[in-house]
Amino acid sequence: MSAASSILLSNGTVLLHDEEDHVTPVRADILIIGNKIAEIAPSISPPSPSPDAVDIDCTGKIISPGFVDTHHHLWQTQLKGRHADDLLLDYMYKGNIVFSLFKPEDVFWGQLGGCMEAIDGGTTMVVDHAHINHSADHSESALSATVASGIRSYFCYCPVPQTRAASWAPFKFETSSSSVPDWAATQLADLAAKQPFGNGRVRLGVGFDAYYLPQDVVISIFQNARSAGVKLFTSHYVRNALMGQHSLVNLLDSYGLLKDDILLSHANQALPEDAIQLIAEHAHVSSTPDTELQMAHGAPVCFRPDLHKIASLGVDCHSNNSGDMLTQMRLALQSARGTRNQQFVARGKQPRTVHPTAEQAFNLGTIMGARAVGMGAEIGSLRVGKLADLVIFDGESPGMVCAAAHDPVAAIVLHASVRDIETVIVDGRIRKFGGKLCAVEVENATEVGWPEVAAKLLHSRRRLQEMIETADMDGAREGIIKLFHIDPNNIVEHVA
Ligand SMILES: [Zn+2]
C-alpha cells in the first residue's frame, strides 16, 4: 500500500503502557502523521482533507504496539518444515549448513519470505542474525530484501562467515576462517558508513560467534565496528553439553567488550555470575522458547528472576517453527508456569497463585524487546512521539470474541492467532490490511504480492532440495561434531 499522509485509527481499544510497564486498555483514537504517532485521544477529528489520508474504523478492534523479535535468522524460509523432530545438532547439519548451497537469488526470496511472515504475524521490528554471509552478494541480497519488505530491523552482519561446505559427497568443510576476510571487512565498513537503510527503518548491527579467534582479533572486530557507528552486537550463547560449558559473558567481560550494546541469544543455563555481570553492564538476552524447548538448549531464561529484567523474546528459526511472536509469548509463559507448578505438584501441594502473568509475557514481546535493542524510547509501546509501529487485532473473531472485551492483553497472549491480525503498520506505512499482506516493491519498482513470493520460494526450494538429496548427510553430521569440538559421549539416548 502506498504511503499515506496521515492515518486515523478511530474508536479502537488501545493498549497503553504506564511508567511501570502496566498495560491499560483505553477506548481512543490514534492519529499517525508520517512515521510517528501524533496524537492519542478519546476523539480526534480527521486532519484537513487530503486524498491520501486513510481513516480506519477500529470499533471492536484491539490496537497493540507492534511486536519486537530480538533473535531471528530471516534467510531460512526454503528450509521450513524439515526440523519437526530435530535437535540442535540435527538442525546444524540438515539445515543451517545448507546455506552454502544458497545463491544470492535464493537468499533474496528466503529473506523476503521471512520478513513477510514476520509482518503477517504482527512483528514490526526484528533483530536478524544474518549468518548467510557466504559472499558480499549474499549479504547484499539479504539486506535488499529486508529493506523491500517494509519491516524495521537490525541487520546484524556477520564479519566472520560461517564455515562452508567445500564438497558435499564426500562431505568436507572448508578451512575455518582465521580472521575477517578482506571483502567482509570492506562490506561491513561500507554498510556502516551508509546506514540506516529504508528511510531509517533498517540499521546495521553485528552478528558474531567466532570467539575461537585470538583475543586481539575479536577485540579489534568489536572496536572497529563500534567506531564505525554500529550500535548492536548479537551472539549465540548456550551453555550445555553440546555447545560447551564455558561462560561467554565472562569472556566478553575479560576482553573489556561487555557493554549495553550486547544482546545474547538464548543464554540457557547462564551462570548466576553471568546474570550479575549482564545486569551491571545493561546488556540483554533473547529467549527463543520454540527452538530452546525442542532442541535441548535448556530451559528458557526469560522469566528467571535474575535475568527477567533484561530479557526479551525471539523466533530464532522459522525453518523450525512459526515466525510469529504470539507463539513465543505463549510458549514462554506456559512453559515457565508449568515448570513452577510442577515443583508444587511433585511435593503433593498446589500453588496459591499462578506465575508469571500474561502481561509479563506481553511485555517481553513488546516494550522489553524494544529496550533490548536500545530503542525503548522509540518503539515497543503506543505513545505520542514514538514511531508508528502498530498491530490491529479483530477483537470479535471466533478466537478473540469475549476475551478481547474482558481482558485484551489476555486475548492477545492466550487466544489470538495470526489470522486475527487484520492490519500491521510499520513506520507509518500499512504493510498488512484486511488480513492480507500488501504487495512489496522489489527491484526496478516492480510490485510483488505474496502469491508471487510463494512461487519464487517453491521454485528455489525445489532446486535446493535436489542438491540436498545427493549430499552425504552422515558425513555432514560428523563434520559438525568435529568443527564444534562436540564430545559424542555426551549425546545419549537415556539418562539414569
Ligand atoms: Zn540463532
Side-chain angles (χ1 to χ4, degrees):
M1 194 171 271
S2 57
S5 58
S6 67
I7 303 172
L8 179 61
L9 309 174
S10 310
N11 200 34
T13 298
V14 180
L15 301 184
L16 297 178
H17 283 84
D18 68 15
E19 295 303 321
E20 273 75 51
D21 289 352
H22 181 54
V23 183
T24 308
V26 175
R27 185 63 52 87
D29 296 354
I30 297 182
L31 178 65
I32 296 165
I33 296 180
N35 68 346
K36 296 250 172 79
I37 298 173
E39 192 178 353
I40 302 175
S43 179
I44 302 174
S45 317
S48 51
S50 158
D52 58 356
V54 173
D55 191 345
I56 302 174
D57 178 8
C58 291
T59 306
K61 319 287 184 202
I62 301 171
I63 307 177
S64 164
F67 300 111
V68 180
D69 169 355
T70 56
H71 181 65
H72 201 140
H73 307 290
L74 286 165
W75 60 271
Q76 294 178 334
T77 311
Q78 289 93 324
L79 305 178
K80 278 164 77 87
R82 65 185 60 220
H83 300 302
D85 301 311
D86 280 354
L87 288 152
L88 183 57
L89 175 60
D90 308 310
Y91 155 79
M92 289 197 280
Y93 80 87
K94 286 199 227 166
N96 200 41
I97 58 162
V98 175
F99 87 96
S100 317
L101 297 172
F102 275 58
K103 293 180 180 168
E105 190 184 337
D106 300 309
V107 175
F108 181 85
W109 296 109
Q111 183 89 1
L112 186 60
C115 292
M116 289 177 82
E117 184 190 5
I119 292 171
D120 193 39
T123 296
T124 51
M125 165 73 196
V126 58
V127 175
D128 179 21
H129 189 131
H131 56 16
I132 185 65
N133 198 11
H134 195 153
S135 75
D137 287 346
H138 286 72
S139 279
E140 192 67 44
S141 274
L143 178 59
S144 66
T146 300
V147 171
S149 75
I151 206 162
R152 189 181 302 289
S153 181
Y154 254 110
F155 181 84
C156 293
Y157 186 89
C158 294
V160 181
Q162 298 192 83
T163 308
R164 297 183 299 189
S167 114
W168 286 89
F171 186 88
K172 246 187 112 194
F173 270 121
E174 284 184 347
T175 317
S176 298
S177 186
S178 59
S179 187
V180 179
D182 288 346
W183 61 265
T186 306
Q187 189 172 34
L188 177 57
D190 184 47
L191 293 176
K194 286 186 186 151
Q195 68 148 340
F197 308 94
N199 296 324
R201 269 187 295 108
V202 181
R203 303 180 186 186
L204 189 77
V206 162
F208 188 81
D209 290 316
Y211 291 101
Y212 57 84
L213 294 177
Q215 177 174 349
D216 57 328
V217 176
V218 175
I219 290 173
S220 73
I221 291 169
F222 276 73
Q223 284 178 344
N224 290 343
R226 278 177 176 144
S227 350
V230 172
K231 298 273 191 287
L232 189 74
F233 294 77
T234 192
S235 294
H236 291 94
Y237 177 32
V238 177
R239 271 190 72 249
N240 66 15
L242 201 71
M243 304 314 293
Q245 304 287 2
H246 66 281
S247 164
L248 176 58
V249 176
N250 189 36
L251 180 139
L252 284 165
D253 190 49
S254 68
Y255 287 7
L257 297 175
L258 192 59
K259 297 199 184 334
D260 62 358
D261 55 8
I262 299 284
L263 171 63
L264 299 180
S265 44
H266 312 306
N268 308 98
Q269 302 209 95
L271 298 163
E273 50 269 38
D274 290 343
I276 292 167
Q277 283 174 302
L278 288 168
I279 290 197
E281 298 300 338
H282 306 284
H284 289 84
V285 298
S286 173
S287 287
T288 67
D290 240 323
T291 54
E292 293 170 8
L293 289 166
Q294 174 184 328
M295 296 188 181
H297 290 53
V301 301
C302 54
F303 287 114
R304 222 174 88 172
D306 59 349
L307 284 166
H308 176 64
K309 206 169 109 180
I310 54 164
S312 60
L313 289 173
V315 162
D316 197 2
C317 307
H318 65 291
S319 54
N320 182 73
N321 44 260
S322 69
D324 66 279
M325 291 290 288
L326 300 172
T327 307
Q328 301 313 321
M329 292 190 291
R330 194 171 303 158
L331 267 180
L333 178 67
Q334 303 294 46
S335 64
R337 287 173 167 179
T339 303
R340 179 175 181 270
N341 289 344
Q342 180 59 26
Q343 294 172 8
F344 292 83
V345 174
R347 289 166 178 77
K349 304 286 184 195
Q350 279 290 288
R352 190 188 298 274
T353 53
V354 71
H355 184 81
T357 65
E359 183 184 76
Q360 286 177 306
F362 181 73
N363 284 339
L364 281 170
T366 54
I367 187 64
M368 294 172 75
R371 289 182 192 131
V373 299
M375 295 182 73
E378 296 167 88
I379 57 170
S381 63
L382 301 178
R383 186 170 290 184
V384 172
K386 279 198 166 186
L387 292 163
D389 291 3
L390 314 89
V391 180
I392 304 175
F393 286 87
D394 177 6
E396 295 174 3
S397 70
M400 298 186 80
V401 70
C402 298
H406 188 76
D407 181 343
V409 171
I412 289 174
V413 175
L414 291 159
H415 297 271
S417 66
V418 171
R419 173 187 65 174
D420 304 320
I421 296 175
E422 284 198 339
T423 301
V424 178
I425 299 172
V426 190
D427 208 39
R429 284 279 297 267
I430 297 173
R431 299 293 180 177
K432 181 182 184 183
F433 190 70
K436 292 246 181 286
L437 282 167
C438 302
V440 298
E441 205 173 274
V442 296
E443 267 185 321
N444 306 322
T446 316
E447 288 221 324
V448 291
W450 177 254
E452 291 153 283
V453 177
K456 292 282 189 188
L457 284 165
L458 287 167
H459 177 78
S460 165
R461 191 200 91 86
R462 267 193 301 277
R463 189 188 73 78
L464 292 161
Q465 184 59 23
E466 278 166 18
M467 288 193 287
I468 292 166
E469 278 165 15
T470 64
D472 164 22
M473 279 298 171
D474 290 339
R477 186 177 189 276
E478 287 312 303
I480 289 280
I481 287 175
K482 284 203 188 92
L483 185 71
F484 284 86
H485 305 290
I486 293 166
D487 179 356
N489 294 319
N490 285 334
I491 304 171
V492 295
E493 194 56 47
H494 303 285
V495 280

